[in-house]
Amino acid sequence: MTTTTVTAPALAVGERVRFARPSDESTWWWDVRATDTRFTVLTRQRPFRVKGELLYTIIDRERGVRGPCNLIGQGWDIEEPGGCERLLDALLRHADNAPGLRVEVSHRNNLPIEIHETHTPASPVRTITPSGLPGPALPAPNAEEFAPLGTFRGIDLQEDLDDAAVWALGHHDPARFAAAVTDYDVDLTRDHLIQPLQVDDVEHTHAVVLHRIASHDPGWVVTWAPRHQITGTTPGAFPITLIHR
């Protein structure tokens, strides 16, 4: 173990941390769950609750603070597989002014970063970096488990609310895909005056599966975040077509 007081050291997934502030919580250990060069997401067991109910905190090195996110209620679904990674992605989208949820560390509820102690386990750790995945990709989803929200113009569509995108497996003709998503929006809103989406809105890219979730349908968490630099040669990658909201 190491004992020191620092502003914001580099941390790796798997490390444990004790903060100096607030002093009445300085004996609590936090687990590093997702991290990059600016943000780190940590969790710990919620006191006096059943095992598995977690608290979370976010380190923002650039601002020199830690705390919960700025969303109403300051909550995030961190207990689901991939929840911490999705929170980190949302923080990075905000920092890069990219489309998506406007997520950052709360400006009203935060503390200066003062790490009192860190502990690195003997087992290997995994770190999310701007050019790396948080772990090995899993096999691509097959057609049977894809469970689309609907089929429009022969294309099975899925919507990712976290990343504000509608997407489909495979690389589809851009004009057909734009028309399919327009039909999906009309069906969803019953508004036939919706402005049709354009070919320029369509993107061909690749994604990977990060987690399988047995209790959920469709049962997996995927990412195509540009910071991961996923290409057709990335192990486990599969082609997708998407339109960002």
Side-chain angles (χ1 to χ4, degrees), residues 121-149:
S123 58
V125 299
R126 298 179 301 162
T127 305
I128 297 176
T129 67
S131 59
L133 292 168
L138 300 178
N142 56 46
E144 289 72 24
E145 66 178 341
F146 182 62
L149 293 178

Side-chain angles (χ1 to χ4, degrees), residues 43-62:
T43 65
R44 70 175 183 82
Q45 171 65 38
R46 188 182 292 272
F48 312 115
R49 300 290 183 89
V50 298
K51 186 175 181 179
E53 290 192 27
L54 302 177
L55 295 171
Y56 80 94
T57 191
I58 305 162
I59 290 174
D60 183 341
R61 291 174 180 80
E62 185 172 302

Side-chain angles (χ1 to χ4, degrees), residues 76-185:
W76 191 271
D77 192 8
I78 56 169
E79 294 167 0
E80 291 294 336
C84 292
E85 288 85 355
R86 289 194 296 277
L87 176 54
L88 179 61
D89 277 335
L91 290 161
L92 292 171
R93 285 200 301 272
H94 180 108
D96 293 339
N97 295 313
L101 294 174
R102 308 304 295 164
V103 179
E104 59 181 332
V105 175
S106 171
H107 284 261
R108 299 182 63 183
N109 185 11
N110 64 63
L111 294 167
I113 305 169
E114 289 190 22
I115 294 179
H116 175 65
E117 188 172 5
T118 65
H119 172 59
T120 304
S123 58
V125 299
R126 298 179 301 162
T127 305
I128 297 176
T129 67
S131 59
L133 292 168
L138 300 178
N142 56 46
E144 289 72 24
E145 66 178 341
F146 182 62
L149 293 178
T151 301
F152 297 84
R153 305 204 180 205
I155 301 176
D156 294 335
L157 299 179
Q158 184 60 266
E159 186 163 15
D160 187 324
L161 298 180
D162 285 341
D163 202 44
V166 177
W167 61 282
L169 293 175
H171 286 167
H172 298 276
D173 174 73
R176 181 180 167 207
F177 187 79
V181 178
T182 299
D183 289 351
Y184 168 70
D185 289 342

Side-chain angles (χ1 to χ4, degrees), residues 133 137-138 141 206-210 221-224 228 230 234-238:
L133 292 168
L138 300 178
H206 289 80
V208 295
V209 176
L210 292 180
V221 174
V222 306
T223 184
W224 53 80
H228 295 320
I230 301 166
T234 301
F238 52 94

Side-chain angles (χ1 to χ4, degrees), residues 208-227:
V208 295
V209 176
L210 292 180
H211 304 280
R212 301 268 171 175
I213 307 176
S215 61
H216 280 205
D217 186 10
W220 31 255
V221 174
V222 306
T223 184
W224 53 80
R227 70 190 186 85

